[in-house]
Amino acid sequence: MEIRLSFVKNSRDTNPIDKVLSFEELRNILTTFTVCDKENAPGIIGGYFNGKTRDTHNLQARTLLILDVDYYNGSINDLEILFKSSLDPHLYIAYSTASHALNAPRIRIVLFFKEEVETKDYRQVSLNFINSLSEDFKKTIEITTSIKPNQVMYLPIKPNDEYQPWFSVAKEDKLIDPNLYLNSSNTDITIHDPLLLTIKNSPLEISEANIVNYLTNYPVEERDYYEWLEVGAALH
């Protein structure tokens, strides 16, 4: 199996490098942790571009579905049991993210499509796949970032000496058939981001003081440039 995807030097890099990797090559990359801070961490986009800048309209197709699991309270062992039972028998590579701790696990799960997914269809396919998972596991997923076609996902890093890396590779080999998830009508999104959730549930008129308060309490260090564009659009 060959996977075509894009690499960036960091979240600010707008010139992705297109590569074609074997499963073994990608597995080695996603299970090797480099010493790096999050600000300068390299990343991937689970698809490829037309040779131009990292804009969604330049993204030709998605080849991977990448789930950010940010909302689980418990041990990493219990989380692994939960997601394995929900994803079985799909092929995946999972690894811990920079904010991970053993009793507050934060992981990323890379899944593989049977065939490429057009950019315009990725949001629907990925969301419908997520909605097919168990309710308990679905609650742990940061859906907004997981269904964004152009989302940069950081590669495995070790941000400090105390960090304990974790990864898991499935023994199963089933690929996701995107055609099974194109026509479902269940497209509700569970929003976890506190700022976007507040804006969604607020009246249309928000005072300048409230906006300043929201932004003051927003987790800036966890967001990249393109996520801030989404925040700006929501406020606008």
Side-chain angles (χ1 to χ4, degrees):
M1 178 173 61
E2 291 189 332
I3 307 106
R4 190 175 178 183
L5 69 163
S6 300
F7 289 78
V8 290
K9 297 176 182 177
N10 51 54
S11 63
R12 303 177 299 282
D13 183 6
T14 60
N15 297 294
I17 297 174
D18 180 12
K19 293 186 178 183
V20 178
L21 303 177
S22 67
F23 174 80
E24 290 74 21
E25 289 172 321
L26 183 58
R27 179 185 59 195
N28 290 338
I29 290 172
L30 298 183
T31 57
T32 301
F33 289 74
T34 57
V35 177
C36 182
D37 60 83
K38 187 174 179 180
E39 183 179 352
N40 296 302
I44 59 171
I45 300 99
Y48 60 92
F49 295 79
N50 59 6
K52 299 181 181 179
T53 57
R54 180 165 61 92
D55 295 317
T56 300
H57 65 272
N58 292 330
L59 184 65
Q60 297 296 285
R62 288 281 306 208
T63 56
L64 301 173
L65 196 165
I66 306 178
L67 303 178
D68 257 357
V69 179
D70 286 343
Y71 302 106
Y72 184 77
N73 294 315
S75 71
I76 183 63
N77 291 334
D78 288 342
L79 174 57
E80 187 171 10
I81 292 171
L82 175 64
F83 79 71
K84 280 186 174 181
S85 66
S86 191
L87 293 176
D88 183 67
H90 289 96
L91 177 66
Y92 68 79
I93 303 171
Y95 62 92
S96 54
T97 63
S99 55
H100 168 77
L102 290 182
N103 291 314
R106 302 292 181 266
I107 67 172
R108 186 159 291 135
I109 303 175
V110 178
L111 296 132
F112 301 82
F113 287 121
K114 187 176 181 180
E115 59 189 62
E116 294 181 355
V117 177
E118 291 186 47
T119 303
K120 66 179 179 63
D121 295 327
Y122 177 72
R123 182 184 183 280
Q124 182 184 34
V125 169
S126 57
L127 184 55
N128 288 334
F129 178 81
I130 291 171
N131 281 330
S132 73
L133 303 174
S134 71
E135 286 298 319
D136 286 342
F137 178 47
K138 188 165 68 172
K139 292 175 184 177
T140 71
I141 299 171
E142 174 49 80
I143 296 178
T144 305
T145 57
S146 299
I147 68 173
K148 186 187 297 184
N150 194 20
Q151 181 68 37
V152 172
M153 298 295 195
Y154 294 115
L155 291 173
I157 62 171
K158 187 177 180 182
N160 54 62
D161 292 337
E162 291 74 34
Y163 184 84
Q164 298 184 46
W166 172 94
F167 65 85
S168 175
V169 181
K171 296 179 180 178
E172 297 79 7
D173 59 1
K174 182 179 179 180
L175 308 181
I176 299 172
D177 183 352
N179 297 300
L180 299 177
Y181 302 97
L182 269 175
N183 299 316
S184 173
S185 60
N186 186 8
T187 55
D188 293 334
I189 301 177
T190 302
I191 298 176
H192 294 290
D193 188 300
L195 177 60
L196 298 182
L197 185 61
T198 300
I199 293 171
K200 180 178 183 294
N201 294 329
S202 295
L204 291 178
E205 293 186 6
I206 306 175
S207 71
E208 182 177 347
N210 282 336
I211 292 175
V212 170
N213 182 57
Y214 295 151
L215 293 176
T216 300
N217 292 286
Y218 197 59
V220 179
E221 70 282 355
E222 300 175 7
R223 300 294 181 261
D224 64 24
Y225 172 77
Y226 289 90
E227 289 174 303
W228 271 108
L229 287 182
E230 184 177 276
V231 170
L235 287 170
H236 179 72

